[in-house]
Amino acid sequence: MIKLSKIGKKYKEGDSEKWVLKDISLILPSKGLVAIQGESGSGKSTLLNLISMMEKPDEGVIKINGRNVEKLSEKEKEDFRFFECGFIFQHFNLFEDVTAKDNIVHSLLMGGVDSKTAKDKANTLLKEYKLEHLANKKTSVLSGGEKQRIAILRTIIRSPRIILADEPTGALDEKNEKAIMKMLKEYSKENLVVFVSHNERIIKKYSDRILKIRNGGISDDSKILRKADPEPMAKRKRGNSSRWIIDVTRGHFKKDIKRNALSFAGTLISFFGILISLGFYSSSKDTIEKEKKKSLLYTSASVSLVQEEEIEGSPLTLNRTRRPIFGDLERALDGLARIECDYSYFIPSYSAYTFNGEKKDPVSFAPISDITLKDRHRSMLLEGDPPRRDSLEFVLVNKEFADLFSESVLNHKIEISNSVKVLRNNIEDSLDFSFEFYIGGVVDEFSFLNSPRVYYSLNAIKANLSSLKLENISKAEGSNVDALSLVEECAGDSPYGSYAYSIFFSEDNAPAIERLMHELDKGDTGLKITSQSFDVIQSFSTLVDAFTACLVPFLILALVSSFAITCFTSYSSYLSKRKEFAIMHALGARSEDVSNINLLENVGVSILSGISALALAFPLSRLFSIMLDKRVHIANLVTLKINAFNVPFFPILVILIFSLVFPLFGSAIPQFVFRKQSLVKELSDE
Ligand code: ADP
Ligand code: MG
């Protein structure tokens, strides 16, 4: 039972307002076929939209079964359209991409009816109306008359007590017109059917009651009902409509395959970029941490004393480097490292040598305190065996040295010889010495900026130097002076002591030494720790930091473009489906379900891109790392790990968040843009 009291509806027309309906009062019965007659543009459709609660009146009250429509919630209005009031349109408004039967089935599914019941009911109804032959035809190939029959079945399958039909035969020939009107007439025996037409002939032939709309008012009501017969609106509950949402989304996915593929590809590339950057961010730090220990020089350094000295008559100062006083150094190191003299005056740190008797260009020679590689250094060994004991017979070389030769360098002989002159208390002495080493092993070091290097035993060289007697000086001083004691006893500013002490420490103490190095740099003791390996790590870290900073704009670009792609596809997908959404709305679908259909499609594409990006990024980042390792000899530079930054499943979480947040925002944009435009406009039959 529908009662309209003094209803008015106006629309904006340019700057002014136009009242389409004004002061309309009428009561519609609960049964019968009521015709609304009027010229085009007289407001017939508007009246139906008010009754179906698709639009709100600007004046007056509509009561349906005793309840004021204005007081109903949006959900109650949707329920009203789903359970109580069916719509039939001039141009049918079926979902064209599915079969005729699916249109009928979906009409139930959107209210949460389970799919088996819905299918059974649809089959029964199709049989009853002798339309089984249309069941599995795609809707777009049906004739107008067939479409309208299906549209009527889509409505009556829900047994609504009201049907609103807006020019239901307007697009049909006479034969079909007759069939459709018969269907509606039949239905109106137990229910109310309100139909709009400007066709006088059919109005006269079928209707029980005629309402004529003219100039915004009802000009003629053939049987005015004075009293309403109240009938409470039945409370019916909807079921779960998620099945319908998924079904429709699946259909959209197929229909929009090209747009979705484009969106998929764009998002995939962006996500892939994000993951590779993530791989670089997380693994480059780990790589530095790991790689910096991969050097036999990591646990040695040299310490000197740098003092500022003023130059007489000049504003400039001079930095003079000396060997520190042993006691000062001992105190500063506080037991963290072993202090040794620097013997490089006798064993040059950079020297030419002969390999298998052939003269070669200079390479670096460095003493190490443990040539036997007892501790974890052994894992760095690529080939060969480290010497069993401290010995001057064997040396180790790094890979960069081994790479100078085409054949394996193991067990080949290196010779260096030198002749030095020394002077003490005006007594001159000279020493000729030569060493013969066999290469015992090749170590794999962090190769960044690394140069070919030969490692020999510090202890063995000390023993050797102590056997090299300085004849003249010994004779003059009346005691045995050898090369070793010359270095150890020399003054701080003597080149024999290289102006520095060497220090050797354990790997555990390396971080403490590094801290001390920075502290001493800032302090005023003048002590300065120099470490080749710390320096290399420092420059490598700086380079990585610079590279990381360069990546940030690209990362932002990837994020922005992925977001833009999602927004764009979501917007264009919404636009192309607005009519479909309007039909759903008229059929009483929940507005949140309709929003979810739009969202689900976007989330689906986004998640699919995310999963594919993850599936690609893990193996490809590994491949990338291997390629980089081959080129720059740094392993695991871009390895994406499942627990990057020590957070379990970090890359998966990041991609999951983006692939949910982007479509969530993207889908909200069209809803926001169109929030003020009524969907009803989409359904107007022009
Ligand atoms: P008809 O009797 O042909 O169904 P309608 O109810 O569709 O007429 O429209 C009545 C008048 O209201 C028309 O002049 C139409 O242009 C106007 N109108 C309908 N809907 C809107 C709207 N959403 N915005 C502005 N004007 C509208
Ligand atoms: Mg109309």
Side-chain angles (χ1 to χ4, degrees):
M1 231 320 299
I2 299 165
K3 184 178 175 189
L4 281 70
S5 312
K6 295 186 177 303
I7 288 300
K9 177 75 189 171
K10 61 185 175 185
Y11 286 120
K12 273 211 168 102
E13 223 178 40
D15 288 340
S16 62
E17 285 175 342
K18 183 183 133 197
W19 286 92
V20 177
L21 298 174
K22 189 80 182 149
D23 210 17
I24 295 211
S25 295
L26 62 93
I27 293 170
L28 293 170
S30 48
K31 282 180 195 173
L33 188 58
V34 177
I36 297 178
Q37 192 180 7
E39 283 172 10
S40 180
S42 57
K44 304 180 297 292
S45 299
T46 305
L47 186 62
L48 291 193
N49 289 338
L50 290 174
I51 295 172
S52 68
M53 304 185 201
M54 299 264 283
E55 292 200 89
K56 283 183 193 148
D58 295 304
E59 268 182 0
V61 177
I62 301 176
K63 281 190 175 175
I64 292 181
N65 292 336
R67 286 190 75 183
N68 186 344
V69 163
E70 218 176 313
K71 304 233 163 79
L72 296 179
S73 69
E74 225 20 72
K75 274 199 170 144
E76 284 172 310
K77 288 179 184 173
E78 285 159 5
D79 282 349
F80 171 72
R81 281 196 294 278
F82 184 77
F83 292 117
E84 306 284 330
C85 169
F87 239 113
I88 289 160
F89 307 88
Q90 179 178 357
H91 291 293
F92 333 117
N93 285 340
L94 293 170
F95 301 120
E96 299 276 322
D97 303 305
V98 293
T99 62
K101 188 165 120 188
D102 281 343
N103 264 289
I104 302 169
V105 170
H106 276 210
S107 165
L108 289 177
L109 292 184
M110 69 172 69
V113 175
D114 74 88
S115 100
K116 181 159 184 331
T117 312
K119 275 181 191 156
D120 289 349
K121 275 183 109 173
N123 285 333
T124 313
L125 204 62
L126 281 161
K127 218 177 244 168
E128 193 184 324
Y129 283 84
K130 302 203 165 41
L131 295 172
E132 303 111 295
H133 60 288
L134 301 180
N136 294 319
K137 281 196 176 166
K138 202 168 170 188
T139 309
S140 53
V141 303
L142 301 185
S143 74
E146 289 170 335
K147 282 184 185 173
Q148 197 61 303
R149 284 178 180 81
I150 296 298
I152 292 176
L153 295 197
R154 168 175 77 173
T155 302
I156 66 179
I157 196 164
R158 298 167 174 182
S159 332
R161 284 190 294 173
I162 305 161
I163 284 184
L164 304 174
D166 196 350
E167 313 232 18
T169 59
L172 304 178
D173 59 26
E174 235 173 89
K175 192 173 148 230
N176 278 305
E177 177 187 284
K178 197 171 160 189
I180 296 299
M181 286 318 294
K182 271 175 103 177
M183 278 172 98
L184 293 178
K185 184 78 188 169
E186 181 66 26
Y187 197 72
S188 73
K189 282 183 184 157
E190 296 299 325
N191 304 281
L192 172 65
V193 176
V194 181
F195 82 102
V196 160
S197 180
H198 49 253
N199 183 331
E200 198 127 357
R201 184 174 43 79
I202 60 164
I203 290 178
K204 279 225 173 91
K205 188 167 173 194
Y206 296 100
S207 53
D208 302 323
R209 182 181 168 200
I210 303 165
L211 299 173
K212 280 189 184 160
I213 298 192
R214 192 174 297 150
N215 299 329
I218 297 222
S219 65
D220 180 15
D221 186 350
S222 50
K223 285 183 207 163
I224 296 175
L225 277 180
R226 296 271 169 234
K227 263 188 148 180
D229 45 344
E231 227 179 283
M233 212 195 278
K235 275 264 172 228
R236 287 191 263 179
K237 248 182 96 78
R238 289 185 187 238
N240 180 353
S241 51
S242 52
R243 168 74 204 251
W244 172 66
I245 295 174
I246 293 167
D247 265 13
V248 174
T249 309
R250 200 185 295 139
H252 284 175
F253 235 94
K254 272 193 217 149
K255 190 174 145 198
D256 273 354
I257 194 82
K258 277 184 194 155
R259 176 171 35 217
N260 285 332
L262 220 64
S263 167
F264 169 82
T267 319
L268 171 70
I269 293 168
S270 303
F271 281 168
F272 184 70
I274 292 167
L275 285 171
I276 291 292
S277 309
L278 199 70
F280 179 74
Y281 276 126
S282 60
S283 59
S284 59
K285 296 272 174 230
D286 285 357
T287 299
I288 295 175
E289 272 313 301
K290 236 187 260 156
E291 293 282 315
K292 76 176 184 187
K293 295 175 185 165
K294 261 177 71 181
S295 166
L296 294 184
L297 287 184
Y298 179 57
T299 51
S300 62
S302 71
V303 192
S304 49
L305 182 68
V306 182
Q307 285 170 318
E308 265 184 21
E309 281 180 19
E310 301 202 346
I311 304 171
E312 249 187 49
S314 162
L316 301 174
T317 54
L318 195 72
N319 269 347
R320 187 183 293 277
T321 305
R322 302 166 53 86
R323 190 159 83 171
I325 294 164
F326 187 83
D328 291 349
L329 181 57
E330 214 175 17
R331 231 168 296 131
L333 288 174
D334 196 19
L336 286 172
R338 199 173 111 205
I339 307 167
E340 291 281 354
C341 288
D342 186 332
Y343 305 104
S344 57
Y345 187 81
F346 294 103
I347 285 283
S349 49
Y350 193 69
S351 188
Y353 63 101
T354 64
F355 182 80
N356 286 347
E358 246 180 82
K359 235 179 145 44
K360 297 285 172 195
D361 290 337
V363 295
S364 299
F365 286 79
I368 48 173
S369 70
D370 174 32
I371 193 95
T372 62
L373 302 187
K374 270 202 281 303
D375 50 17
R376 51 125 239 143
H377 289 310
R378 203 172 272 268
S379 64
M380 286 163 57
L381 202 69
L382 273 183
E383 288 178 71
D385 261 326
R388 297 263 154 74
R389 56 188 173 78
D390 279 330
S391 146
L392 255 198
E393 277 168 58
F394 290 101
V395 288
L396 298 171
V397 297
N398 63 7
K399 190 168 170 294
E400 283 70 21
F401 181 93
D403 286 347
L404 296 176
F405 303 93
S406 50
E407 80 260 48
S408 166
V409 294
L410 272 190
N411 300 321
H412 286 283
K413 196 160 80 175
I414 292 177
E415 285 168 281
I416 43 175
S417 56
N418 207 353
S419 127
V420 292
K421 284 200 174 358
V422 293
L423 192 72
R424 188 153 94 169
N425 300 329
N426 282 329
I427 313 282
E428 204 184 270
D429 229 321
S430 74
L431 270 182
D432 293 312
F433 55 88
S434 62
F435 295 109
E436 259 189 34
F437 307 120
Y438 287 93
I439 296 172
V442 180
V443 288
D444 182 20
E445 294 187 303
F446 178 41
S447 63
F448 185 72
L449 298 184
N450 222 356
S451 54
R453 200 175 288 121
V454 178
Y455 293 105
Y456 55 85
S457 162
L458 176 80
N459 289 335
I461 205 82
K462 268 169 78 176
N464 185 277
L465 290 179
S466 68
S467 69
L468 295 175
K469 201 171 164 197
L470 297 160
E471 299 288 349
N472 297 344
I473 295 172
S474 297
K475 215 180 274 167
E477 293 186 8
S479 64
N480 263 350
V481 179
D482 53 54
L484 188 77
S485 60
L486 181 87
V487 173
E488 283 176 348
E489 287 158 22
C490 71
D493 55 359
S494 157
Y496 309 140
S498 303
Y499 317 111
Y501 276 115
S502 299
I503 59 171
F504 297 90
F505 39 90
S506 69
E507 206 177 286
D508 293 343
N509 283 344
I513 294 287
E514 202 173 347
R515 273 197 299 279
L516 183 65
M517 179 165 103
H518 297 305
E519 265 169 44
L520 291 177
D521 273 350
K522 283 185 221 133
D524 54 6
T525 58
L527 290 176
K528 185 170 175 52
I529 298 180
T530 325
S531 154
Q532 216 177 333
S533 118
F534 290 174
D535 284 352
V536 165
I537 290 301
Q538 190 62 46
S539 48
F540 183 69
S541 299
T542 310
L543 204 72
V544 167
D545 285 348
F547 193 62
T548 306
C550 290
L551 263 182
V552 171
F554 289 103
L555 196 62
I556 293 173
L557 208 69
L559 283 173
V560 169
S561 65
S562 148
F563 183 55
I565 289 166
T566 311
C567 288
F568 172 75
T569 40
S570 159
Y571 189 82
S572 81
S573 143
Y574 180 85
L575 267 194
S576 69
K577 296 191 187 92
R578 238 177 101 74
K579 169 125 192 207
E580 196 176 321
F581 292 152
I583 300 171
M584 291 172 183
H585 186 59
L587 294 182
R590 283 248 192 273
S591 56
E592 65 199 47
D593 288 353
V594 176
S595 305
N596 283 341
I597 287 171
N598 192 40
L599 177 65
L600 197 63
E601 186 179 357
N602 295 320
V603 169
V605 174
S606 188
I607 292 265
L608 218 61
S609 313
I611 292 172
S612 313
L614 283 165
L616 284 177
F618 279 101
L620 283 185
S621 76
R622 183 140 291 244
L623 197 72
F624 214 45
S625 250
I626 292 170
M627 273 159 57
L628 273 176
D629 191 16
K630 282 219 171 102
R631 281 189 75 104
V632 296
H633 301 289
I634 303 170
N636 299 327
L637 205 47
V638 206
T639 306
L640 188 60
K641 284 200 218 94
I642 194 92
N643 56 348
F645 300 114
N646 290 327
V647 179
F649 307 112
F650 187 78
I652 296 177
L653 287 178
V654 167
I655 290 301
L656 194 69
I657 288 169
F658 282 132
S659 54
L660 287 179
V661 168
F662 284 0
L664 222 61
F665 274 99
S667 307
I669 288 174
Q671 315 253 355
F672 178 79
V673 171
F674 291 103
R675 75 195 179 285
K676 284 198 180 134
Q677 287 185 29
S678 155
L679 277 170
V680 173
K681 246 185 159 173
E682 301 288 331
L683 297 174
S684 64
D685 293 316
E686 243 42 57

